[in-house]
């Protein structure tokens, strides 16, 4: 091969990596150029599903491609979460992660089918999902202080409806504060509420979203957030009523399979921040009984998620909680 020929081949070889990278870079810059799927690991119609569909609609309007919700329920959210974990890290499959799937299940299940930290990149914390502690109309309990006094006077005798794993976690945290309620598990919010209104159990621990459906019939004693909630006017926090620093809420966070290009993550994060800043979004979340999540950068969010997993794992271990 003559000198000119060698130079031509070397030039082609040198240009090859750039040529190979160009399509990938282009694909990232025009993301999304086809529909995007957001997996919800719970049944349609639940609050997380409703909120995700709202965000999907807003992302569709903002980015010009369809964002479509796909429900993949089962095994306490593990099935859909495992599907998301195995998806291609190209930004076209996302998941609305939850405290149940990404903080509790890793401690509850020996092998949930995914690694909550290693298999996902967190994009944006979207909402906090507070809980309410309520008394039934036949319970003759009018305040949280009355409930605390009754539980301490008759430990393990105050029947409390628990419709979810997170509800049980709230119950266990109350026990750790010397509020020894007796948990009665139900399959869902509707059954738990029916039992509470009917006087079969005295107390209910459920999400604000579920509790608000029966305001006026059920006596809401406290919310579990650090600050009072606008959607629960007149209801004080547990911290304000003798349980200092009592603060627990479930949460949702938009996530992607680990390895999605940073440019795509940044684009999604920026758009979600704009959506969350909209007054109509804050109203939509409030109407669901959700709270706007604190704004965090990637490092802050990852540190926050690690602490959530650590805290939940500690409570689950101490209480010897088992998966449903």
């Amino acid at each position: 091969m003559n000198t000119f020929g060698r130079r031509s081949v070397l030039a082609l070889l040198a240009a090859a990596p750039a040529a190979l990278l160009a399509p990938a870079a282009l694909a990232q810059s025009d993301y999304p150029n086809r529909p995007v799927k957001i997996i919800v690991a719970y049944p349609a119609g639940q609050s997380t599903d409703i909120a995700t569909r709202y965000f999907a609609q807003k992302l569709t309007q903002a980015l010009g491609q369809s964002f479509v919700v796909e429900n993949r329920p089962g095994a306490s959210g593990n099935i859909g979460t495992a599907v998301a974990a195995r998806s291609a890290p190209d930004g076209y499959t996302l998941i609305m992660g939850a405290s149940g799937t990404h903080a509790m299940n890793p401690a509850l299940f020996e092998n949930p089918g995914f690694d909550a930290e290693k298999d996902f990149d967190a994009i944006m914390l979207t909402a906090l999902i507070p809980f309410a502690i309520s008394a039934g109309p036949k319970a003759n309990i009018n305040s949280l202080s009355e409930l605390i006094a009754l539980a301490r006077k008759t430990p393990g005798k105050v029947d409390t409806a628990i419709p979810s794993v997170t509800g049980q976690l709230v119950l266990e945290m109350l026990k750790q504060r010397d509020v020894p309620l007796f948990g009665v598990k139900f399959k869902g919010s509707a059954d738990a509420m029916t039992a509470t209104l009917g006087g079969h159990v005295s107390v209910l621990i459920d999400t604000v979203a579920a509790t608000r459906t029966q305001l006026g019939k059920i006596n809401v004693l406290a919310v579990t957030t650090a600050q009072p909630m606008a959607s629960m006017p007149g209801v004080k926090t547990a911290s304000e009523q003798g349980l200092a620093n009592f603060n627990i809420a479930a949460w949702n966070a938009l996530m992607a399979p680990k390895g999605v290009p940073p440019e795509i993550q940044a684009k999604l994060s920026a758009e979600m921040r704009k959506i969350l800043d909209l007054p109509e979004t804050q109203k939509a979340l409030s109407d669901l009984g959700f709270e706007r999540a604190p704004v965090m950068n990637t490092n802050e969010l990852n540190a926050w998620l690690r602490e959530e997993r650590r805290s939940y794992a500690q409570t689950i271990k101490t209480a010897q909680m088992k998966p449903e």
Side-chain angles (χ1 to χ4, degrees), residues 288-303:
L288 284 172
F290 288 8
E291 275 200 335
R292 165 70 188 270
V295 176
M296 291 180 265
N297 62 36
T298 300
N299 290 336
E300 291 169 338
L301 178 54
N302 287 329

Side-chain angles (χ1 to χ4, degrees), residues 162-184:
I162 304 297
S164 67
V165 175
T166 314
Q168 186 181 352
L169 202 71
V170 176
L171 177 79
E172 297 300 337
M173 291 180 69
L174 286 168
K175 288 181 179 179
Q176 292 175 10
R177 301 293 192 93
D178 190 26
V179 187
L181 304 171
F182 181 79
V184 181

Side-chain angles (χ1 to χ4, degrees), residues 46-275:
Q46 289 191 352
S47 297
T48 292
D49 173 71
I50 295 170
T52 305
R53 291 178 187 276
Y54 173 87
F55 290 125
Q57 179 186 25
K58 290 298 183 183
L59 286 168
T60 297
Q61 295 170 355
L63 296 176
Q65 283 288 345
S66 296
F67 281 71
V68 181
V69 173
E70 180 178 297
N71 297 92
R72 298 293 294 265
S76 299
N78 288 341
I79 290 176
T81 308
V83 169
R86 295 192 295 268
S87 298
D90 56 9
Y92 290 92
T93 297
L94 308 172
I95 183 170
M96 186 57 75
S99 49
T101 54
H102 285 76
M104 298 178 205
N105 286 3
L108 283 169
F109 293 86
E110 184 175 348
N111 181 18
F114 58 90
D115 187 307
E117 183 170 358
K118 295 180 180 178
D119 290 345
F120 295 94
D121 287 318
I123 294 171
M124 178 66 68
L125 191 67
T126 60
L128 300 179
I129 307 171
F131 276 68
I133 304 168
S134 306
K138 300 179 181 181
N140 195 29
I141 301 171
N142 300 304
S143 67
L144 184 63
S145 61
E146 287 186 15
L147 174 60
I148 293 171
L150 179 61
R152 290 173 178 171
K153 182 180 179 181
T154 59
K157 300 295 184 181
V158 182
D159 289 343
T160 303
I162 304 297
S164 67
V165 175
T166 314
Q168 186 181 352
L169 202 71
V170 176
L171 177 79
E172 297 300 337
M173 291 180 69
L174 286 168
K175 288 181 179 179
Q176 292 175 10
R177 301 293 192 93
D178 190 26
V179 187
L181 304 171
F182 181 79
V184 181
K185 294 183 180 180
F186 288 84
K187 291 184 178 180
S189 294
D191 290 344
M193 180 64 77
T194 297
T196 307
L197 292 176
H200 303 293
V201 295
S202 298
V203 177
L204 170 67
I205 297 176
D206 204 354
T207 62
V208 166
T211 305
R212 288 176 68 225
T213 63
Q214 298 298 331
L215 287 180
K217 296 181 180 180
I218 196 165
N219 185 12
V220 184
L221 307 177
V223 291
T224 64
T225 45
Q227 302 295 329
M229 293 186 62
S231 60
M232 281 286 190
V235 178
K236 294 183 178 180
T237 68
S239 294
E240 292 176 306
Q241 300 181 74
L243 298 177
N245 301 316
F246 193 92
N247 181 19
I248 179 172
W251 45 263
N252 288 157
L254 188 64
M255 297 183 175
K258 180 71 74 174
V260 168
E263 295 85 352
I264 292 177
Q265 291 188 49
K267 191 169 190 176
L268 287 168
S269 178
E271 290 302 329
M272 284 298 299
R273 174 71 180 274
K274 293 176 187 177
I275 293 168

